[in-house]
Amino acid sequence: MRIIQLGVFISLLIAIGLNTTVEGAGPSRLYNLAIEYYDSRVHWQFIRDFVFVKFLWYQFTRSWDLIMGYGVIGAVKFLYDRVVHLAVTQFMALPSIKTKVDNEVLAITTKLESDMIPSSDELTYYHELPRQGWTSEAVLEQLHSLETLKHSNWEKGRVSGAVYHGGEDLLELQAKAYNLFGVANQLHPDVFPGVRKMESEIVSMVLKLYNAPTGACGTSTSGGTESLLLACLSAKKHAFETRGVTDPEIVAPITVHAGFDKAAYYFGIKLHHAPIDPITYQVDILHVKRLINANTVLLVGSAPNFPHGIIDDIPALGALAQRHNIPLHVDACLGSFIMPFLEPAGLTSALFDFRVPGVTSVSCDTHKYGFAPKGSSVIMYRNQLLRASQYFVCTKWSGGIYGSPTLAGSRPGALMAGCWATMMTIGYEGYLASCLEIVGAAQRLKAAIRDEIGPHLQVLGDPIGAVIAFKSDTVNIYDLADSMKKLGWHLSALQKPAAIHVAVTKLTVPVIDDLIRDLKDSVNGLVGQDGRGSAPAKEGTAALYGVAGSVKTAGVADRLAVAFLDNLYKLPKN
Ligand SMILES: *Cc1c(COP(=O)(O)O)cnc(C)c1O
C-alpha cells in the first residue's frame, strides 16, 4: 500500500523540482535536475533537506490515509469538527458562560451524589481503621446490612444484564470454591498447581466451544475489558515485530465496546470507528475497507455488540482481514456462552468463531452468560505467536526473572476455582438449556415490541441473541426508561441513536411477560390520549453507563462522567 503512496510522493517532488528553470527534455531534464540540486547544496543542507522531506512524507501519508479513509468531505468534516470543538471549548471558558455551565454541572452532580450516596443520617461511615478489630459477628452483621442497601432489585430479574445467574445453589458452590482457594495465586503455579490445572482447563473448554483449530491457545483474564486490552496489545506488538509498524491503528465498528477506546488510549493506538448500516446495524464493510491502511494492526467485529446485540458480518470481516493480511478480533465477551449454543440449540445463528477464516483472536466472558463469579474472562488466539505477544517479560529485575501472561501480577486463584466449579457443574447440556431459555425470552420480547407494543417502539436491526435494543420516533425513550425505573426496572440507556436495551439474563426469563406488560403500559402512558406521542429524545441528552435516567449532557458529558467517578470514592462526614 505504501508503494503507491511513495510513487505519488516522489512524482510530486520531481514535478515541483521540474517546475524550476532546469534545461533539457525527457530523462536528461531529470538528470539535469539532479545535478543542479547536488551542485546547489553543501553537506549539512542535505541533512536538512532529508529531515524536511521526511516531515513532508509523514504529513503526506497522514493526509492520504485520512482522505482514503473518510473521503474528501469526511476529511473536511473531521477538520471542521476539530475547529468547532476548539471554538466551543474557548467559548465555554468565557467567564460569564463558565459560571453558568459550572452551576448547571453542579446541580446535576449534586443530584448524582445524593442519588448514589446515602447520607450519614442513614448510615455510619468509617473513615479510618477501627483501633481494635471487630468481632466476626459484628463484621457479619455490618455485611448483612450493607447487602440490603441495594437500589435495584436484581433478584427479581428487573435489571438489564449486570447479574447473569444468581441461583442459590450455584452461589453456594462458588462460595465453597472461594473458601478452598482463598489464598491461591496464579502467579505461583509451583505453590498452587491445582489452580494452574483449572485455568488451563477453563481455557481449553472455551477454545473447544469456539471451534478453535489445533495450535490455538489462550489465557484467562480478570474480565472482558482486560481481554480486549490484551488483544489490542498483542496486535500492536505483533505488527511491530513482523511489519515494523510504529504508528498502529485499529479499525472497529462504531458500536464496539468502549474497552477498545480504553486500549487505544492506554497503548497509544489510533482507533478508527467505522459506521454501521442504518438497516442491519452491522458494521459497514465498505467503510472498514476504506479505513485500512499500512498502519492497520487489527480489525474488530462484535458477536454481538453491547449496545444493540447485533452480530457484525464476521465472514466478510474475515475475508477483508485475510486479503490485507491483518489480524481480526471477534469480541464475543457478551456472546460468551450464548453464541456457541445458538446453532446446537436449533436457533437462528451466525458464523462468528474460529471456523471463519481470518479470525485470529476471540474474547469470551465467562462471568457473563458463563455464570462464573465476576472477574473472569478468556482471551483466545489462533496461534501461540499471537498469545506470546501479550506476555510481559523482564529478565533484568533484581527480584528475579519475571514473566506475566496478562495485565495483573498476582491473580486471585479463588476466582479461577469459582469459574471452574461453575462450568463443571452446569456443563454443556446446562448451557444449552439456558441458551434456549434466555434467547427464547429475548426473542419473545423482540416479537412483542414489534407486534404488540405497536408503532411507538422500533427494534434496532434484527438481534438474534439475548440483547434487544429499541428506540422511538414518537416518545422520549429516556422518559420511558424513567417510567420503567419507577416500576422497578433498571434498563440500559444508549445514545447515538437515543435508545434503551434489555440484556435478558436467567433472572429475566420468568418475568419477561411482566416486562412486556410494563413496557406496554409505560408507552401508553407517555403516548397520552391522542395517541401521537410527545416527542422523541433529543440528541445531547443521554444517560451515564450504569446510571438510569437521563440528563442533559451536551458539552459537559466528560465533566459529568468524572463527577460520577469521583462519587465512587466519596464518604460523607458523620
Ligand atoms: C461486557 C462487555 C465487554 C467487557 O466488559 P467487562 O465489563 O470488562 O467485562 C466487552 N465487550 C462487550 C460487547 C461486552 O458486552
Side-chain angles (χ1 to χ4, degrees):
M1 224 169 305
R2 281 275 185 255
I3 297 292
I4 301 171
Q5 292 183 16
L6 195 61
V8 174
F9 184 68
I10 291 173
S11 309
L12 272 177
L13 284 187
I14 291 175
I16 292 166
L18 290 180
N19 243 340
T20 57
T21 53
V22 270
E23 307 276 313
S28 72
R29 202 170 139 88
L30 212 57
Y31 176 76
N32 289 343
L33 177 70
I35 294 292
E36 188 166 310
Y37 170 73
Y38 185 77
D39 287 346
S40 68
R41 293 292 194 274
V42 292
H43 296 16
W44 65 270
Q45 287 175 325
F46 287 117
I47 298 172
R48 184 197 64 186
D49 287 357
F50 176 75
V51 171
F52 182 60
V53 168
K54 226 178 141 189
F55 170 76
L56 284 182
W57 167 243
Y58 178 72
Q59 294 299 337
F60 174 77
T61 51
R62 276 186 53 165
S63 314
W64 177 293
D65 290 343
L66 183 70
I67 290 168
M68 285 298 164
Y70 294 91
V72 175
I73 295 172
V76 171
K77 192 174 170 305
F78 193 79
L79 296 174
Y80 172 79
D81 286 349
R82 279 208 177 172
V83 173
V84 167
H85 178 77
L86 207 72
V88 169
T89 317
Q90 291 293 325
F91 179 71
M92 300 262 261
L94 293 175
S96 58
I97 307 290
K98 189 171 177 303
T99 319
K100 194 164 168 293
V101 174
D102 283 352
N103 287 337
E104 241 171 70
V105 169
L106 188 67
I108 300 171
T109 50
T110 311
K111 165 113 183 29
L112 258 182
E113 189 173 329
S114 64
D115 280 357
M116 260 175 92
I117 309 171
S119 77
S120 51
D121 300 338
E122 299 160 65
L123 291 175
T124 312
Y125 285 93
Y126 306 100
H127 291 255
E128 49 185 278
L129 273 175
R131 184 144 293 271
Q132 299 297 332
W134 292 7
T135 61
S136 35
E137 289 77 28
V139 172
L140 279 173
E141 196 193 307
Q142 263 292 309
L143 289 177
H144 277 296
S145 78
L146 290 173
E147 208 272 330
T148 57
L149 271 184
K150 53 201 161 190
H151 245 277
S152 319
N153 203 340
W154 64 263
E155 277 146 337
K156 295 205 180 117
R158 293 184 164 229
V159 178
S160 165
V163 181
Y164 288 82
H165 193 291
E168 271 304 321
D169 292 351
L170 186 60
L171 284 175
E172 222 165 273
L173 178 71
Q174 288 169 348
K176 278 187 188 146
Y178 264 60
N179 204 353
L180 282 170
F181 286 87
V183 298
N185 184 350
Q186 281 140 283
L187 192 61
H188 305 292
D190 47 341
V191 188
F192 306 104
V195 176
R196 193 210 69 82
K197 177 172 181 287
M198 283 188 282
E199 178 178 8
S200 45
E201 286 170 357
I202 290 167
V203 171
S204 163
M205 288 182 227
V206 178
L207 280 167
K208 181 80 189 159
L209 283 181
Y210 278 78
N211 292 297
T214 23
C217 55
T219 70
S220 78
T221 70
S222 65
T225 300
E226 188 181 352
S227 294
L228 303 184
L229 289 172
L230 289 168
C232 294
L233 179 65
S234 158
K236 175 185 165 164
K237 201 163 145 199
H238 185 71
F240 176 72
E241 280 166 4
T242 55
R243 289 158 48 203
V245 177
T246 50
D247 296 318
E249 300 182 12
I250 291 176
V251 183
I254 188 95
T255 46
V256 88
H257 192 270
F260 285 98
D261 295 79
K262 199 177 193 178
Y265 174 67
Y266 280 2
F267 301 137
I269 301 171
K270 190 193 274 179
L271 177 61
H272 294 284
H273 282 124
I276 50 175
D277 181 279
I279 307 292
T280 63
Y281 278 74
Q282 291 177 313
V283 70
D284 181 335
I285 299 294
L286 277 178
H287 264 97
V288 173
K289 188 173 163 209
R290 281 173 53 185
L291 288 166
I292 296 173
N293 63 45
N295 286 328
T296 309
V297 301
L298 186 69
L299 302 185
V300 181
S302 310
N305 62 45
F306 172 84
H308 314 140
I310 298 293
I311 302 154
D312 289 312
D313 187 346
I314 304 299
L317 287 172
L320 256 190
Q322 284 202 306
R323 193 167 335 129
H324 293 272
N325 198 19
I326 308 167
L328 166 63
H329 180 80
V330 173
D331 179 6
C333 283
L334 185 57
S336 64
F337 283 43
I338 293 284
M339 284 304 296
F341 289 93
L342 288 175
E343 199 184 307
L347 298 164
T348 309
S349 65
L351 273 175
F352 65 96
D353 61 18
F354 284 105
R355 284 174 294 180
V356 178
V359 171
T360 50
S361 58
V362 181
S363 49
C364 161
D365 284 1
T366 34
H367 72 195
K368 286 186 179 153
Y369 292 101
F371 309 133
K374 272 284 176 261
S376 90
S377 169
V378 172
I379 173 74
M380 298 170 265
Y381 296 100
R382 193 177 277 279
N383 62 55
Q384 298 202 352
L385 207 64
L386 286 168
R387 181 177 63 181
S389 296
Q390 75 165 44
Y391 291 168
F392 175 75
V393 172
C394 177
T395 52
K396 293 183 195 133
W397 185 33
S398 48
I401 296 174
Y402 182 88
S404 151
T406 62
L407 293 182
S410 286
R411 292 190 293 156
L415 281 178
M416 276 298 101
C419 179
W420 187 87
T422 305
M423 287 168 66
M424 294 305 278
T425 186
I426 294 176
Y428 188 92
E429 291 296 334
Y431 286 117
L432 191 65
S434 73
C435 170
L436 264 172
E437 199 176 87
I438 290 167
V439 174
Q443 296 303 306
R444 156 116 185 75
L445 172 66
K446 180 172 88 178
I449 292 171
R450 281 182 183 165
D451 307 332
E452 294 168 38
I453 301 181
H456 291 288
L457 298 183
Q458 299 89 40
V459 174
L460 304 188
D462 186 21
I464 60 171
V467 178
I468 311 293
F470 45 96
K471 66 179 176 63
S472 176
D473 293 335
T474 43
V475 299
N476 185 326
I477 200 79
Y478 298 136
D479 288 346
L480 178 61
D482 284 343
S483 18
M484 289 299 282
K485 196 183 172 200
K486 292 197 184 95
L487 297 172
W489 297 96
H490 192 100
L491 309 180
S492 305
L494 314 168
Q495 57 175 343
K496 299 168 190 268
I500 51 184
H501 90 194
V502 180
V504 175
T505 65
K506 219 163 158 72
L507 296 124
T508 331
V509 172
V511 294
I512 200 77
D513 287 320
D514 299 347
L515 174 63
I516 291 166
R517 186 201 58 224
D518 285 352
L519 264 180
K520 208 183 295 184
D521 291 350
S522 297
V523 168
N524 286 340
L526 289 171
V527 167
Q529 297 296 326
D530 61 357
R532 295 222 318 270
S534 38
K538 286 199 191 74
E539 283 304 335
T541 52
L544 296 170
Y545 185 94
V547 187
S550 60
V551 288
K552 193 162 159 292
T553 55
V556 293
D558 49 351
R559 289 178 62 183
L560 297 181
V562 168
F564 172 79
L565 297 177
D566 283 343
N567 278 350
L568 298 177
Y569 303 98
K570 271 190 188 146
L571 281 181
K573 295 242 166 5
N574 286 318

